[in-house]
Amino acid sequence: MLALISSCTEFNSQGLEGVYYLQDSHPLAAQLLLRKDGTFIAEVAVAGVGVKDSAEGIWDLEGNTLTLKGPQSAQAASKLVFEARYELTHAQLEKILQYNNKDGYDLARKNYVLDLMYARYSRQPDIQPLYVYFQFSQGPTKKQLFSPKSPTDILLPYDPKKTLKKIGFSSASSSEATQWIDISPTSRMILVSLMKANKEAISFKLVEEIDLAEAQSYTNDESELKLKQNNYEITLYYDNSIIPPLIKPVDIFWQFQDGSVQQQIWANSNQSRLALPYTDTLTLKRVGMRMREEVAGIQWFDITPSGRLLYFSWKEISDYPPERLATIFHDMQLTIEPECLKLSEDDSHVCFRRK
């Protein structure tokens, strides 16, 4: 690493290229070299342990966000931690299924369903202000300015005589929409994702449409019911999901009230759902997870007797094995601040600084 740094003669002190050192992150020590050709090399070590590792990849800058990209690791994550998010009961599912026949909902009619979501996300890239257009079955097209500081939910008055037909989008500097999305005449709640890779133009995708009956099924509050009756609700959100890493096999334990246990194996991080056939003679008590290679330490989570669709999140954790240490630099995002490349993670703010 030091030899590489000393041979890097094209250092531009006015740009981002150069050598940075991680501060305020004991016991980790790290240094990062950003090259002019858009590549980086990083070295990281754990104080007092003698563990070192290095990583290489490419870096990219958009706005004030610096992103480090490394090749996907061929090493499977050896330690995972799970967190229970929420669950839906059989009664709740039956109510939702009157309006929405999603696979997960319908599957949970005859099964216990475990939904596993990777808990890591990328930071939202800088998005310039844009216009959102609303085209109706009759009458003029309306438009509204949307900026990163705008609320993600847009309320649009509903008029049965002129239903919403299309939603369009353009940059604030454009005079007309550059992308249109068709909307069903019965839709009242509309979910649209904003997708943007670094240096690429922003694009939009219709994720879900919900009619009035289903929208009102989610609440019993009179004011909210009236709000949904009199408006379209359009939600724009940034799709910032990250491809999950490879994992080692995880044993899933389904323990029932009578003490019996059924077991499954989860070995594919891209498989986000496991199902176990439901029987009315057994009531689920709790669910447990443990890496297959471990002999103790099952993570147990209590389940309500009527719980049927169980939502969990998971992420990998590091105990600083040499083969995994440098993966912290893969998909790392840093905020450019004066004299600091700031890493914000888990509410802990540390900086890479030049000496």
Side-chain angles (χ1 to χ4, degrees):
M1 177 70 175
L2 294 177
L4 176 62
I5 291 174
S6 63
S7 66
C8 185
T9 57
E10 291 190 321
F11 172 67
N12 178 4
S13 62
Q14 300 302 313
L16 287 177
E17 301 87 354
V19 185
Y20 297 81
Y21 300 86
L22 184 62
Q23 297 186 347
D24 305 321
S25 188
H26 186 79
L28 281 182
Q31 49 189 342
L32 171 66
L33 169 64
L34 301 180
R35 300 192 187 103
K36 276 190 173 183
D37 63 0
T39 61
F40 78 86
I41 184 169
E43 188 174 88
V44 60
V46 183
V49 178
V51 174
K52 294 183 179 180
D53 194 16
S54 62
E56 295 187 52
I58 60 174
W59 63 274
D60 191 31
L61 178 67
E62 183 161 2
N64 70 336
T65 300
L66 174 71
T67 301
L68 306 179
K69 288 280 187 182
Q72 179 133 9
S73 174
Q75 296 286 341
S78 58
K79 283 198 173 184
L80 304 180
V81 62
F82 296 85
E83 181 178 351
R85 295 171 60 220
Y86 63 96
E87 60 185 68
L88 293 178
T89 66
H90 180 264
Q92 289 173 315
L93 288 167
E94 287 299 327
K95 185 177 180 181
I96 294 172
L97 279 164
Q98 296 178 47
Y99 313 104
N100 194 326
N101 194 25
K102 288 183 178 178
D103 291 342
Y105 296 158
D106 192 50
L107 185 65
R109 267 182 163 154
K110 298 181 179 179
N111 298 271
Y112 289 108
V113 176
L114 183 64
D115 191 285
L116 298 164
M117 181 187 71
Y118 185 44
R120 191 177 175 200
Y121 298 91
S122 64
R123 186 183 306 170
Q124 179 174 318
D126 293 330
I127 296 175
Q128 298 300 314
L130 56 92
Y131 278 113
V132 184
Y133 297 78
F134 304 103
Q135 186 181 103
F136 301 89
S137 56
Q138 60 178 300
T141 297
K142 295 182 180 180
K143 71 176 181 179
Q144 181 172 331
L145 185 65
F146 180 84
S147 73
K149 294 183 179 180
S150 300
T152 56
D153 292 325
I154 298 174
L155 287 179
L156 193 67
Y158 171 74
D159 184 346
K161 296 179 181 179
K162 50 177 186 177
T163 56
L164 184 62
K165 185 178 179 181
K166 291 184 178 183
I167 300 177
F169 304 90
S170 75
S171 67
S173 59
S174 178
S175 59
E176 58 184 24
T178 54
Q179 181 181 346
W180 286 98
I181 294 174
D182 292 328
I183 303 300
S184 169
T186 59
S187 294
R188 297 295 286 277
M189 291 180 66
I190 301 155
L191 184 63
V192 177
S193 70
L194 289 68
M195 297 169 287
K196 186 180 189 303
N198 285 342
K199 309 288 183 174
E200 294 182 4
I202 191 169
S203 61
F204 306 87
K205 179 182 178 181
L206 179 63
V207 177
E208 188 172 23
E209 298 178 89
I210 296 174
D211 63 20
L212 178 61
E214 182 181 354
Q216 291 185 323
S217 72
Y218 295 128
T219 181
N220 291 318
D221 183 86
E222 287 296 330
S223 60
E224 285 212 16
L225 289 170
K226 188 174 181 180
L227 184 74
K228 295 180 185 301
Q229 183 177 358
N230 296 328
N231 294 276
Y232 292 100
E233 294 181 70
I234 298 105
T235 299
L236 304 179
Y237 80 99
Y238 170 60
D239 185 358
N240 58 349
S241 56
I242 291 179
I243 297 174
L246 300 174
I247 59 170
K248 293 183 179 180
V250 176
D251 286 323
I252 306 294
F253 301 92
W254 306 81
Q255 186 181 81
F256 296 88
Q257 295 284 1
D258 66 354
S260 62
V261 175
Q262 296 189 40
Q263 189 173 337
Q264 290 181 320
I265 299 173
W266 180 53
N268 183 354
S269 59
N270 289 311
Q271 177 190 2
S272 61
R273 187 170 289 153
L274 295 175
L276 184 74
Y278 170 81
T279 172
D280 55 10
T281 60
L282 291 174
T283 301
L284 187 64
K285 180 180 180 181
R286 58 181 185 167
V287 172
M289 294 89 165
R290 183 182 65 191
M291 304 299 294
R292 167 148 281 211
E293 61 189 23
E294 297 180 358
V295 295
I298 299 176
Q299 253 193 293
W300 286 107
F301 299 91
D302 292 331
I303 306 298
T304 60
S306 56
R308 190 66 66 83
L309 180 52
L310 318 172
Y311 290 92
F312 281 75
S313 62
W314 65 275
K315 62 182 178 181
E316 71 274 39
I317 56 175
S318 175
D319 56 355
Y320 304 128
E323 72 273 13
R324 293 289 300 168
L325 188 57
T327 58
I328 62 173
F329 291 98
H330 298 167
D331 295 313
M332 178 180 283
Q333 293 183 308
L334 302 154
T335 302
I336 310 299
E337 294 190 351
E339 302 181 357
C340 168
L341 303 181
K342 186 174 75 173
L343 172 65
S344 299
E345 197 148 321
D346 297 329
D347 298 324
S348 176
H349 303 287
V350 295
C351 275
F352 281 90
R353 300 182 190 273
R354 290 173 172 162
K355 284 190 176 178

